[in-house]
Amino acid sequence: MKRMAMFDWNAMKCFHLRLFLIPIISLAAGFISALLVVPTNVFMFLFFSVNTFAVEEKGDLNKLYLTLPVKRSAVVAGRYVLSICMGVAGLVTGIPLAILADRFSLSHYYGPIGWFLPVVTISYLLFSIFNLCMFPILFKMGYSKGKFWGMLVPNALFAALYCAWVIVSSLPGNEYLLFNALEYASTNVLLVNGSMIAVATLILLCSFLLSENLYSNRDF
C-alpha cells in the first residue's frame, strides 16, 4: 500500500510543480475571508491527487499492474493513502496561509484560535464528500471518460458552495451567522466536531470500499 502510494507520487512528478500554485489559489480565496483558506487548500490538494488517474491512463499503467504481483485492492489503497496525505498537507499548510491571508482579507478574522477547530473538521468533511464524488467514478470509468462527472462536476459544485456562502453571508442580518456557528461549535466540541469527524470518516470509508469494488470489477 505504501509502495503503491510512492509509485503514484513518483509517476506524476511532471505535475509536482503545480503544487506551488495551490497556495496562490488559497490566498486568493482568503481575500474574501481568511476562514475560506483552509477548506480551499484541502480541496486543491485533493484535486491535485487526481493527477494520478491522468498519469495512469496516459502511461497505460493499468496493464502494467496486471502483469505485476499486485492486487487491485492495493492499487486503490495506495491511491487513497496518497490522497489522504495530500489532504493532511492541505490542513497543515492551510492554517498559516489563513493567518497570512487575514492581513489583507476583506473580512478580517477576530475570533479565538479555538474557532479554527470546526474550520478544520469542516474541511475534513468536505474532503471526504468530494473524495466520494470523484474517486469512485474515476476508478470505474478512467480519467478520460470519468473526468466530467468525477472532476468538472465536483469543481462546479465546490464553486457553487463558495458563491452561495458569499451571497448568504453578505445578506443583511447574516453578518454574524458564521461567527455564531463557530462559537456554538467551540462550546460543543465533542458534539459538533466529533460528529463531523465521525461522519467524514464514514464517508471516506464508503468511498474507499466503493472504489475498491468498482475497480476490482473493471475490464481493461
Side-chain angles (χ1 to χ4, degrees):
M1 184 169 60
K2 180 181 178 181
R3 290 180 179 178
M4 289 305 305
M6 290 302 301
F7 180 83
D8 282 333
W9 171 254
N10 292 326
M12 63 174 185
K13 61 183 179 181
C14 57
F15 295 104
H16 287 178
L17 287 177
R18 296 185 182 182
L19 282 171
F20 295 101
L21 293 175
I22 295 179
I24 298 174
I25 297 172
S26 300
L27 287 174
F31 185 75
I32 301 173
S33 172
L35 294 174
L36 293 174
V37 172
V38 177
T40 301
N41 210 51
V42 171
F43 177 80
M44 292 307 301
F45 269 91
L46 170 63
F47 187 71
F48 177 82
S49 68
V50 173
N51 286 319
T52 54
F53 292 93
V55 172
E56 170 197 83
E57 190 163 294
K58 184 177 181 180
D60 207 9
L61 297 181
N62 286 305
K63 293 182 179 178
L64 174 62
Y65 297 150
L66 297 178
T67 64
L68 299 173
V70 176
K71 295 182 179 180
R72 293 194 183 189
S73 58
V75 176
V76 177
R79 201 153 297 173
Y80 269 79
V81 168
L82 179 59
S83 176
I84 292 171
C85 288
M86 291 286 99
V88 172
L91 288 174
V92 172
T93 59
I95 294 176
L97 286 174
I99 296 173
L100 175 61
D102 194 47
R103 294 179 176 273
F104 58 82
S105 177
L106 292 176
S107 177
H108 290 288
Y109 174 75
Y110 299 105
I113 297 297
W115 283 8
F116 260 101
L117 179 58
V119 173
V120 169
T121 53
I122 289 172
S123 300
Y124 175 43
L125 179 60
L126 289 174
F127 173 88
S128 300
I129 292 173
F130 282 103
N131 185 290
L132 177 62
C133 293
M134 300 166 73
F135 273 50
I137 294 175
L138 293 171
F139 270 115
K140 171 64 177 178
M141 304 177 66
Y143 181 79
S144 296
K145 294 181 179 179
K147 64 181 179 181
F148 176 78
W149 293 106
M151 288 180 58
L152 298 180
V153 171
N155 268 283
L157 178 59
F158 193 70
L161 288 174
Y162 261 99
C163 294
W165 169 250
V166 172
I167 292 172
V168 171
S169 61
S170 62
L171 292 176
N174 290 343
E175 295 87 352
Y176 300 102
L177 179 64
L178 176 61
F179 298 111
N180 292 335
L182 292 176
E183 176 63 25
Y184 178 81
S186 64
T187 55
N188 298 272
V189 176
L190 292 179
L191 175 62
V192 178
N193 298 289
S195 298
M196 284 195 291
I197 291 174
V199 171
T201 303
L202 181 61
I203 292 174
L204 194 58
L205 178 61
C206 291
S207 176
F208 170 74
L209 294 176
L210 180 59
S211 294
E212 188 178 43
N213 179 264
L214 292 173
Y215 189 67
S216 63
N217 296 313
R218 182 177 167 187
D219 294 325
F220 298 105

